[in-house]
Amino acid sequence: MSLHVESICVEIDGVTILDSVSLDVPTGSTVAVVGPSGVGKSTLLRVIAGIIEPTSGSISIDGVDISSLPVHERTVAMVFQNDQLFPHLDVSHNIAFGLDVTRPLMMRLVSSRRVRREWSKERKDRVTEMLDLVGLSGFEDRDTGSLSGGEAKRVALARALAPAPSVLLLDEPLTGLDRELHDRLMHDLGRILEKTGTTTVLVTHDVAEAKYLADRVEQLRACVHDPVPESP
Amino acid sequence: MSLHVESICVEIDGVTILDSVSLDVPTGSTVAVVGPSGVGKSTLLRVIAGIIEPTSGSISIDGVDISSLPVHERTVAMVFQNDQLFPHLDVSHNIAFGLDVTRPLMMRLVSSRRVRREWSKERKDRVTEMLDLVGLSGFEDRDTGSLSGGEAKRVALARALAPAPSVLLLDEPLTGLDRELHDRLMHDLGRILEKTGTTTVLVTHDVAEAKYLADRVEQLRACVHDPVPESP
Amino acid sequence: MTVSIAHRSRHGHGRTRSRLWSLPALVVITFTVLIPVCVLAFEVVEPGALRSALTRSSVVDAIRFSVWQALCSTVATLFIGTVMAWILARYEFRGRRFAAVIVTVPFVLPTVVVASAFLALLPAAIERSFTSILLAHVFFNISVVIRLVTPLWSVVDPDLMAAARTLGASPMQIVTRLLLPVARPAVTVAGSLVFVMTFTSYGIVRILGGPGLNTVEVEIYRRAVLFGDVSGAAALAIAQTLAVISVIAFITRRPTRELHRLGAQRRPAPRWALGTVSFVVVLVLAPLVAMSLRSMYVDGRVTTSGWSNLVGSPSPLMSNIDMPSVIIRSAGFALIAAAIAVPIGIAAAIGLAQRSGPLVRAILNIPVATSAVVVGFGILITYDTTPFDIRSAWWLIPMIHAVVALPFVVRTALPVVQSIPQGLRDAAAVLGATPLRRWWTIDAPLLHPAFATGLGLSMALSLGEFGATSFLTRRDSQTLPIVIDQLLGRAGETAFTTAMAASTGLMLLTALIVVTFDSSLRT
Amino acid sequence: SSSSVDATRITLVAYDSFILPEDAFSAFTESTGISVDIALSGDAGELAAKASLTSGNPEGDVLWGVDNSLLSRLTEADVFDPYVSTAAPIVPSLIEAAQGTVTPVDYGYVCVNYDIETLQRLGVAPPSTLEDLIRPEYRGMLVVPNAMTSSPGLAFVLATTVAFGQDWQQYWQQLVDNDLALSDGWTDAYYTRFSRHGGDRPLVVSYSTSPPAEVLFADPPLEQGAPAPTGVAAETCFEQIEFAGVMRGTDRPEAARLLVDYLISRPFQELLPENLFVYPANSEAVLPESFMRYTKSVLDPWRMTPEDIASQRVGVLEEWARITGS
Ligand SMILES: Nc1ncnc2c1ncn2[C@@H]1O[C@H](COP(=O)(O)OP(=O)(O)OP(=O)(O)O)[C@@H](O)[C@H]1O
Ligand SMILES: Nc1ncnc2c1ncn2[C@@H]1O[C@H](COP(=O)(O)OP(=O)(O)OP(=O)(O)O)[C@@H](O)[C@H]1O
Ligand SMILES: [Mg+2]
Ligand SMILES: [Mg+2]
């Protein structure tokens, strides 16, 4: 699926955060968005996901304008900069969340025992696979509150990857990991993105990472606005 | 002030997290602690700050055992890995928090108008100075909820530096910032630490950063424990 | 259009949608309280009634006394309540749940009963004085504070406190600079509810106050019932409601901050906490124990007649009171009331959390601030024409119970709703959860404590409700408090021990219900 | 809408403490085919206030329990369809008070009660008149329910106004000087202040029928033939009459009248003493054993017409509140 962002503007509390930003991500490719802190990278991802409504501009997937689609109907997964793990669910339920909520209600209610058993095995396998990927095998039952910073980050990544989304938004997914782990995960992630042909927008501050994972690097530039932002 | 950590052990829910860790930070020097994700770096800082009580071992500052001192009486400031900004205070009040709470009660009650005005000017200057340092001039009145990831990180750093503590614990203080900002802040931080002679423990995954800021780099090694941690 | 961070992801429908959330609650309150009171005002209140009421010295004295005692009671209750809330939220100790249940019980017992038990315990020196009113008000209302503040404090990230401590904040400063400000919305709401409850206090002031100490509420009742001056009473009541409502609308504007609840494990309780809890529990328990003892002891002699009367061996005293069905009816009403109050109350809290006009907030507070007599009169003359003659419909009583409980449900739920980080809902949405699924997978589990508290509280309130229940006309629908009142109206030792036994039964039933339904007390 | 009226059901509205045996109305239903719904609400004062507010569009068909202190308020508000039942003989003095609009159904007296045992222990003779109460030997002994909020309290004050005329205020001043105690309501006075039930005051304003209730509900039961533990000061009594009336606006006036007739019938009237602790208005009704034995006959109670009560009550109460500081 190709993602096309066309002259997006965002204003929050009267401050312009994004000023006519455009972005093109061809099907299956990865574009890295880089830029100084506070320039609006996370905001851009939120706009694409549909969490923030832009003041103007449009977003389309495969040429279809999705601007008016609600968040959950855009087939987009996202890793949030600050993880946003669900505090009331353990690690495995966090990871399986995307699978659980998109499972058709009918299926849960009327399917046969066998079908249900199969589904639950599939789900479990997927969780195990994801945990293996991020190097957290055995963490299934852990409370998210007890995870270390890097562990939480990896669970967030696993959660976004689990439903195998066709568009993936990654907001600094590998930040705060040690070099070795970072590099291993980067390679694995690159492999997965390529294999599944996922259309990806990656926000990162790591130039090497951007170069390795992305087909193209886009610089997001600060828009000219009131240099002293003020709260309302 | 010199910091001395002697064979600290920490067990949480029956899992050994730190196993006989020792650390020596001479007066005014900076020691970087590195190690893989989940090895217990943050836990070590928490133990030094007094937030977690170790199962065994001792911590001393200038040769005096502070193991039994409550957190607020240890003259130790800390930048948390996930910021922990106070949600009910704006940026300037977050930064001035350490100044505000340590201002003697007597002074607040009995001091003259002039003394109070002076104090409030000093406080304001300090906040401005800190904001300048982290590149967030003009952010005084901003709500912490509206900050970008990197901005929040910088406010957390400013908050820890503001009271000019004699021992500083930094848990990935510069992670998630763009290269340029990162390098500028790293230099400024190095300059400050040197000038004020602050005894510092720095946790980071960035080898270059560790080398630049620290006088010595310590590798924290995983303790041999049950490979499958389980929640209670 | 402008998107504000605080209201983001609501796709611009925030306004209309939040109205929809609050709508059921508003409708119920409008029909059961607002319209009747307005009708009363138009049909009965004569011009100048308020002015002439306000010029009476007894009314002026009552206003002065109401304000003064309510302020003192509120401060005292807030102090003890927040300390208790803190201990219950953050520390683990044996008997924590017991303590949490015990402090809830007084709030829902009929005032007549507990006030008499109180009277028996108080040293003669402070019997029937300002102090005794104060003590009783703390005793009755402490659970409001505990219930409102505890849920919020149990989701404060411990690291946030750690951060403050590393910056040099002493334990006291943690409280004054972090915990109280973070919980401020809940604390002010609790404070304003306690203020209203004590300002409009009726039974306690009448029984414990002694001569000369009257609240406006007592004055209203006197005018309405004793002097037959419904006009003056209604004028006074409406003025009181308006005044009280506008005062609280002002204090309770601030939203709660988003809080994260990262494994806020309870720590073992330190000594001071155990000491405080024991002290408060003993204080609360004493009148309750006195009451239960009184159901079994007469002049130091054990008797079972009170209890055997209850359990139903036929006796002249209980000839027409079918105890099992009274209990079943009480419990049934409590269930219905909770089934109405909890869903619409939580919905209203969600609406308020999104955006709250002062008007909506004020209306949601009206049931606490309006005297039962006046609402009763209003209903009586409003719904008196067929086919809307519902004056003696059986469901009117659980309905009114639900309305009485509604403000408490809304108020316990609101801070919890507000403390759920919006980011979690966004994350769920991005993973494909529809709004309904989002509600079900994120909001509902995180709101669980609010649901549980609301359920326990509204059932308990319904069980103990006396004023409105007694005033409305009932066929075959005595509830426990009414039976207790009937028993207390008779001479003879057995009548009294039976009343005390029934009160003890009510207390146990309340405790049972709170324990069963309020699972927030469990973990 | 009279065609849709179900003439086989009728509603009797009464105060909360109207508790009778389950089968109290079965005889009525058997003979007339009309079943009776009992609707209870509030105390007598609230009941009256509600009735006058809904005058003409009542909540039920027959009202039980307006007393002589409230009757005028209701007749002024035109609450009743005038109907004085003649189906049974009624104590003549009661009929007079009924103002030709309602039917007297029961009566009783509010009197000072005393705790026999405590008085004996203190070596003080029981009081018998109002004047006795201000004598020094009864200092600190009397507790009175607040007249502003309780009906026995009001009755007692009215008794003093009849007894002392112009001087009633002075009498109350003397009562206050004699360390009178005020309590909120009857329950509070009787069960927390009265020495019989653990309080410290051996004299309390209660009913003339409290002694039989003390016997019936004694715990443990008194021995056969033992005297009642409390007594009544016979010359302190104020007469309270309760009435039943057909409510104006009822859809079933005939049935309502039949019900009022039933309310004064002998079988029904004989249920009243031991259930409501009042004397039957029907002069032929036989008093139960407990009443015969344990109630003193009050020969010459203080009386006041409903009209006088209506015209004086507010003024008296305000004056009384001033004197007693309540
Ligand atoms: N309510 C607001 N008022 C003013 N400015 C706001 C508000 N909300 C967000 N901003 C600003 O919007 C800008 C963009 O934020 P965003 O989170 O998108 O930055 P970012 O590029 O992701 O930065 P980082 O690399 O630090 O995560 C920031 O400068 C932030 O301060
Ligand atoms: N309650 C618990 N039960 C089991 N393990 C726990 C618990 N709490 C923390 N841990 C583990 O303790 C280890 C140390 O955590 P810590 O936060 O100190 O790691 P870290 O070195 O800072 O890692 P990172 O670089 O990812 O921040 C982690 O593996 C974490 O999973
Ligand atoms: Mg960002
Ligand atoms: Mg860490």
Side-chain angles (χ1 to χ4, degrees):
Chain A
M1 291 188 172
S2 70
L3 175 71
H4 184 69
V5 176
E6 181 71 44
S7 14
I8 288 292
C9 296
V10 171
E11 226 180 68
I12 299 181
D13 295 339
V15 183
T16 308
I17 313 270
L18 294 177
D19 190 9
S20 194
V21 173
S22 299
L23 190 71
D24 226 331
V25 193
T27 310
S29 77
T30 299
V31 169
V33 174
V34 299
S37 170
V39 77
K41 304 178 295 297
S42 302
T43 308
L44 177 61
L45 293 199
R46 283 163 183 280
V47 170
I48 299 174
I51 299 169
I52 300 181
E53 222 177 302
T55 324
S56 68
S58 73
I59 300 148
S60 50
I61 289 185
D62 279 348
V64 181
D65 190 336
I66 58 161
S67 301
S68 56
L69 274 190
V71 186
H72 62 278
E73 286 174 21
R74 311 186 178 192
T75 49
V76 168
M78 176 160 171
V79 171
F80 288 78
Q81 191 170 3
N82 53 354
D83 308 338
Q84 300 289 3
L85 298 184
F86 303 124
H88 56 296
L89 301 177
D90 65 13
V91 167
S92 69
H93 282 87
N94 261 282
I95 295 178
F97 191 90
L99 308 173
D100 291 342
V101 294
T102 49
R103 184 175 167 209
L105 192 66
M106 282 314 283
M107 185 175 144
R108 258 179 308 156
L109 294 179
V110 302
S111 60
S112 72
R113 236 290 197 49
R114 201 180 49 80
V115 173
R116 258 179 294 164
R117 202 179 313 122
E118 226 159 67
W119 191 89
S120 111
K121 190 180 167 319
E122 244 169 61
R123 173 181 179 282
K124 196 170 161 234
D125 288 349
R126 185 71 179 155
V127 170
T128 314
E129 184 189 350
M130 286 297 113
L131 281 175
D132 275 352
L133 173 75
V134 297
L136 291 177
S137 309
F139 273 61
E140 278 88 350
D141 300 334
R142 278 282 291 277
D143 196 5
T144 56
S146 73
L147 299 174
S148 84
E151 287 162 355
K153 189 107 244 174
R154 288 181 273 162
V155 172
L157 179 60
R159 183 176 70 176
L161 291 176
S166 46
V167 177
L168 196 53
L169 308 173
L170 303 173
D171 201 347
E172 311 194 17
L174 302 176
T175 304
L177 303 177
D178 56 293
R179 202 72 260 168
E180 200 179 318
L181 183 63
H182 174 272
D183 290 351
R184 190 175 69 64
L185 263 180
M186 185 172 75
H187 292 129
D188 288 350
L189 186 60
R191 198 171 33 74
I192 292 177
L193 294 183
E194 189 150 2
K195 203 178 77 189
T196 55
T198 311
T199 309
T200 309
V201 182
L202 168 74
V203 168
T204 182
H205 291 302
D206 185 330
V207 184
E209 184 185 309
K211 288 226 175 92
Y212 180 88
L213 285 174
D215 304 303
R216 205 174 76 241
V217 177
E218 288 271 354
Q219 179 80 31
L220 194 61
R221 242 168 283 277
C223 54
V224 207
H225 62 65
D226 183 7
V228 182
E230 273 187 309
S231 87
Chain B
M1 291 190 172
S2 70
L3 174 71
H4 184 69
V5 176
E6 179 71 44
S7 14
I8 288 291
C9 295
V10 171
E11 231 181 64
I12 298 180
D13 295 339
V15 183
T16 308
I17 314 267
L18 294 177
D19 189 9
S20 195
V21 173
S22 298
L23 190 71
D24 228 329
V25 193
T27 312
S29 76
T30 299
V31 170
V33 174
V34 301
S37 171
V39 77
K41 305 179 294 297
S42 301
T43 308
L44 177 61
L45 294 199
R46 283 160 184 280
V47 170
I48 298 175
I51 302 165
I52 300 181
E53 227 176 292
T55 323
S56 67
S58 74
I59 299 147
S60 49
I61 288 185
D62 279 347
V64 182
D65 190 335
I66 56 161
S67 302
S68 56
L69 272 191
V71 184
H72 65 281
E73 286 175 19
R74 310 184 177 192
T75 48
V76 169
M78 177 160 170
V79 171
F80 286 75
Q81 192 170 3
N82 53 355
D83 309 339
Q84 299 293 356
L85 300 183
F86 303 122
H88 61 294
L89 300 177
D90 64 13
V91 167
S92 69
H93 281 87
N94 259 283
I95 295 178
F97 191 89
L99 307 173
D100 289 343
V101 292
T102 49
R103 183 174 169 210
L105 188 67
M106 282 315 282
M107 187 177 145
R108 257 180 299 158
L109 293 180
V110 301
S111 60
S112 72
R113 224 328 177 33
R114 200 180 49 80
V115 173
R116 261 179 290 165
R117 200 176 318 121
E118 224 159 67
W119 192 87
S120 110
K121 188 177 168 321
E122 244 169 62
R123 173 181 179 283
K124 193 166 165 241
D125 288 350
R126 184 72 179 156
V127 170
T128 314
E129 183 188 350
M130 287 296 116
L131 281 175
D132 276 351
L133 173 74
V134 297
L136 292 176
S137 309
F139 274 60
E140 277 87 351
D141 301 333
R142 280 283 291 278
D143 199 6
T144 56
S146 74
L147 298 174
S148 83
E151 287 163 356
K153 188 107 244 175
R154 289 181 272 162
V155 172
L157 180 61
R159 182 177 70 177
L161 291 175
S166 46
V167 178
L168 195 54
L169 309 174
L170 303 174
D171 201 348
E172 310 195 16
L174 303 176
T175 304
L177 303 177
D178 56 292
R179 200 71 262 167
E180 199 181 317
L181 183 64
H182 174 273
D183 290 350
R184 190 176 66 66
L185 263 179
M186 184 171 78
H187 292 127
D188 288 349
L189 186 61
R191 199 173 31 76
I192 291 176
L193 295 182
E194 189 152 2
K195 202 178 78 188
T196 54
T198 310
T199 308
T200 309
V201 182
L202 167 75
V203 168
T204 181
H205 291 301
D206 185 329
V207 184
E209 182 186 310
K211 287 228 176 93
Y212 179 88
L213 284 175
D215 303 303
R216 206 173 75 240
V217 177
E218 289 269 355
Q219 178 81 33
L220 196 60
R221 242 168 283 277
C223 54
V224 206
H225 62 63
D226 184 8
V228 181
E230 274 187 309
S231 87
Chain C
M1 67 158 277
T2 316
V3 181
S4 129
I5 286 280
H7 300 150
R8 74 189 150 202
S9 100
R10 283 185 256 286
H11 311 289
H13 302 306
R15 238 163 231 278
T16 40
R17 236 195 263 162
S18 75
R19 290 260 165 80
L20 282 184
W21 282 108
S22 315
L23 194 65
L26 294 182
V27 167
V28 169
I29 292 176
T30 304
F31 278 98
T32 52
V33 182
L34 268 188
I35 294 182
V37 171
C38 291
V39 169
L40 192 69
F42 284 114
E43 287 198 5
V44 181
V45 176
E46 292 146 12
L50 184 60
R51 170 126 28 102
S52 75
L54 287 180
T55 48
R56 283 174 191 283
S57 68
S58 62
V59 174
V60 175
D61 286 348
I63 293 175
R64 199 172 302 136
F65 177 71
S66 291
V67 172
W68 172 234
Q69 63 81 15
L71 279 179
C72 294
S73 304
T74 307
V75 169
T77 311
L78 270 184
F79 179 72
I80 302 181
T82 46
V83 173
M84 281 296 285
W86 175 249
I87 296 171
L88 291 173
R90 307 304 296 206
Y91 296 118
E92 193 52 79
F93 51 92
R94 279 183 61 171
R96 203 186 117 260
R97 234 177 112 193
F98 174 75
V101 171
I102 281 301
V103 293
T104 307
V105 169
F107 183 57
V108 299
L109 284 181
T111 44
V112 214
V113 175
V114 189
S116 335
F118 227 77
L119 216 47
L121 280 180
L122 286 178
I126 58 167
E127 218 176 70
R128 293 163 213 276
S129 65
F130 189 76
T131 319
S132 63
I133 293 182
L134 211 66
L135 275 176
H137 277 165
V138 171
F139 170 81
F140 270 94
N141 294 313
I142 180 176
S143 76
V144 176
V145 181
I146 295 177
R147 277 336 179 73
L148 260 66
V149 180
T150 307
L152 212 64
W153 273 344
S154 33
V155 299
V156 174
D157 189 337
D159 270 358
L160 208 55
M161 285 185 279
R165 291 162 79 202
T166 60
L167 290 166
S170 66
M172 198 56 213
Q173 284 173 319
I174 298 272
V175 173
T176 55
R177 290 183 175 262
L178 179 61
L179 295 170
L180 280 179
V182 160
R184 184 156 109 191
V187 173
T188 48
V189 165
S192 58
L193 281 179
V194 173
F195 181 80
V196 181
M197 306 276 293
T198 51
F199 188 91
T200 60
S201 178
Y202 178 70
I204 291 181
V205 173
R206 266 183 58 174
I207 297 178
L208 295 182
L213 303 179
N214 293 320
T215 54
V216 180
E217 190 76 10
V218 174
E219 198 56 36
I220 289 170
Y221 184 87
R222 275 186 192 176
R223 298 229 76 78
V225 171
L226 229 73
F227 298 155
D229 175 16
V230 178
S231 157
L236 209 52
I238 292 165
Q240 164 174 288
T241 307
L242 288 179
V244 169
I245 288 289
S246 37
V247 169
I248 14 184
F250 257 110
I251 348 183
T252 57
R253 246 184 316 199
R254 279 246 183 146
T256 309
R257 300 299 169 144
E258 291 185 354
L259 295 169
H260 302 265
R261 36 150 72 201
L262 295 172
Q265 277 184 348
R266 293 198 176 87
R267 292 190 295 145
R271 256 210 221 119
W272 69 266
L274 288 179
T276 312
V277 171
S278 320
F279 178 71
V280 173
V281 165
V282 166
L283 216 66
V284 171
L285 217 48
L288 301 180
V289 169
M291 179 183 83
S292 0
L293 287 185
R294 195 67 182 77
S295 72
M296 290 178 293
Y297 284 94
V298 176
D299 298 335
R301 203 166 31 72
V302 180
T303 171
T304 54
S305 60
W307 284 94
S308 64
N309 269 334
L310 268 197
V311 188
S313 58
S315 77
L317 184 63
M318 306 296 284
S319 57
N320 198 28
I321 302 175
D322 176 10
M323 222 40 207
S325 65
V326 167
I327 291 175
I328 292 172
R329 186 179 308 117
S330 286
F333 281 0
L335 272 175
I336 300 171
I340 300 172
V342 172
I344 68 176
I346 295 213
I350 292 169
L352 279 189
Q354 291 179 4
R355 68 178 313 113
S356 57
L359 188 67
V360 175
R361 274 202 315 269
I363 292 179
L364 288 174
N365 277 329
I366 280 183
V368 225
T370 314
S371 17
V373 207
V374 170
V375 175
F377 279 132
I379 288 180
L380 208 58
I381 62 167
T382 307
Y383 302 111
D384 62 346
T385 33
T386 38
F388 302 108
D389 191 353
I390 57 164
R391 289 177 295 180
S392 52
W394 69 268
W395 49 264
L396 192 56
I397 289 166
M399 189 73 180
I400 293 290
H401 289 179
V403 173
V404 169
L406 198 53
F408 293 93
V409 175
V410 175
R411 292 309 177 172
T412 40
L414 183 57
V416 183
V417 174
Q418 285 171 333
S419 69
I420 298 177
Q422 177 60 28
L424 296 177
R425 298 189 192 105
D426 294 343
V430 166
L431 288 165
T434 60
L436 205 67
R437 289 306 285 270
R438 227 137 67 206
W439 156 254
W440 189 244
T441 51
I442 307 295
D443 291 276
L446 293 180
L447 277 178
H448 186 82
F451 268 115
T453 310
L455 207 61
L457 206 61
S458 47
M459 292 186 75
L461 271 171
S462 161
L463 277 181
E465 211 289 331
F466 176 73
T469 313
S470 141
F471 192 81
L472 294 169
T473 304
R474 290 151 285 117
R475 288 193 173 111
D476 256 356
S477 47
Q478 280 126 305
T479 58
L480 259 176
I482 301 282
V483 169
I484 292 169
D485 181 64
Q486 290 171 337
L487 288 168
L488 282 176
R490 309 202 137 177
E493 196 60 58
T494 327
F496 193 72
T497 47
T498 309
M500 287 300 130
S503 306
T504 310
L506 176 61
M507 174 181 85
L508 294 176
L509 194 62
T510 305
L512 185 76
I513 280 195
V514 172
V515 169
T516 315
F517 288 92
D518 193 345
S519 52
S520 72
L521 297 174
R522 260 171 245 166
T523 42
Chain D
S1 70
S2 60
S3 59
S4 69
V5 168
D6 179 3
T8 62
R9 295 193 80 82
I10 191 167
T11 303
L12 174 69
V13 185
Y15 44 68
D16 265 338
S17 48
F18 186 75
I19 313 173
L20 290 174
E22 196 114 32
D23 56 2
F25 291 92
S26 34
F28 177 71
T29 309
E30 253 163 53
S31 65
T32 60
I34 301 170
S35 45
V36 181
D37 284 334
I38 313 280
L40 303 181
S41 73
D43 60 25
E46 290 171 0
L47 190 65
K50 289 168 71 173
S52 63
L53 207 58
T54 56
S55 171
N57 186 7
E59 291 189 273
D61 306 293
V62 176
L63 178 101
W64 170 288
V66 54
D67 67 16
N68 46 339
S69 70
L70 296 164
L71 181 61
S72 283
R73 202 198 286 171
L74 297 203
T75 47
E76 269 163 35
D78 207 6
V79 167
F80 298 110
D81 260 347
Y83 178 66
V84 186
S85 173
T86 51
I90 291 198
V91 178
S93 65
L94 304 182
I95 297 277
E96 261 167 58
Q99 299 183 335
T101 46
V102 285
T103 306
V105 283
D106 65 57
Y107 66 102
Y109 307 102
V110 169
C111 319
V112 172
N113 283 22
Y114 51 84
D115 176 5
I116 293 172
E117 193 189 308
T118 307
L119 284 186
Q120 256 166 14
R121 192 154 37 75
L122 295 173
V124 182
S128 65
T129 63
L130 290 173
E131 285 85 355
D132 284 348
L133 301 174
I134 53 175
R135 298 215 323 246
E137 59 254 50
Y138 299 111
R139 185 176 174 77
M141 287 194 181
L142 177 66
V143 55
V144 179
N146 192 335
M148 298 287 271
T149 44
S150 99
S151 99
L154 172 65
F156 183 65
V157 176
L158 292 178
T160 63
T161 64
V162 182
F164 297 102
Q166 296 301 316
D167 296 335
W168 75 271
Q169 286 120 313
Q170 196 192 332
Y171 174 75
W172 272 94
Q173 194 53 57
Q174 287 167 313
L175 272 184
V176 171
D177 294 343
N178 211 19
D179 192 16
L180 155 94
L182 284 181
S183 69
D184 172 53
W186 176 85
T187 303
D188 184 24
Y190 202 78
Y191 283 117
T192 55
R193 310 299 305 263
F194 186 35
S195 58
R196 164 81 185 143
H197 294 284
D200 56 358
R201 303 239 162 193
L203 307 181
V204 64
V205 169
S206 183
Y207 300 93
S208 68
T209 51
S210 300
E214 284 287 346
V215 174
L216 270 181
F217 301 139
D219 183 27
L222 296 181
E223 281 166 34
Q224 269 292 321
T230 59
V232 163
E235 287 163 62
T236 60
C237 294
F238 184 79
E239 186 181 62
Q240 275 190 325
I241 310 168
E242 289 190 323
F243 305 94
V246 175
M247 305 196 81
R248 186 172 63 84
T250 170
D251 295 325
R252 316 165 183 86
E254 284 81 37
R257 287 176 188 191
L258 282 177
L259 181 59
V260 174
D261 291 347
Y262 178 73
L263 294 178
I264 56 166
S265 69
R266 215 180 114 177
F268 186 83
Q269 287 275 306
E270 284 176 355
L271 293 173
L272 300 181
E274 288 196 336
N275 285 292
L276 301 186
F277 292 89
V278 290
Y279 298 96
N282 183 322
S283 52
E284 286 174 352
V286 177
L287 283 179
E289 149 90 15
S290 59
F291 267 57
M292 302 293 278
R293 188 194 292 260
Y294 299 111
T295 58
K296 254 189 227 169
S297 49
V298 177
L299 293 177
D300 192 13
W302 304 108
R303 286 200 176 95
M304 212 166 164
T305 63
E307 294 87 344
D308 285 349
I309 297 178
S311 63
Q312 294 177 21
R313 123 198 210 120
V314 172
V316 165
L317 277 177
E318 280 176 353
E319 190 55 27
W320 177 85
R322 196 188 54 73
I323 297 167
T324 56
S326 66

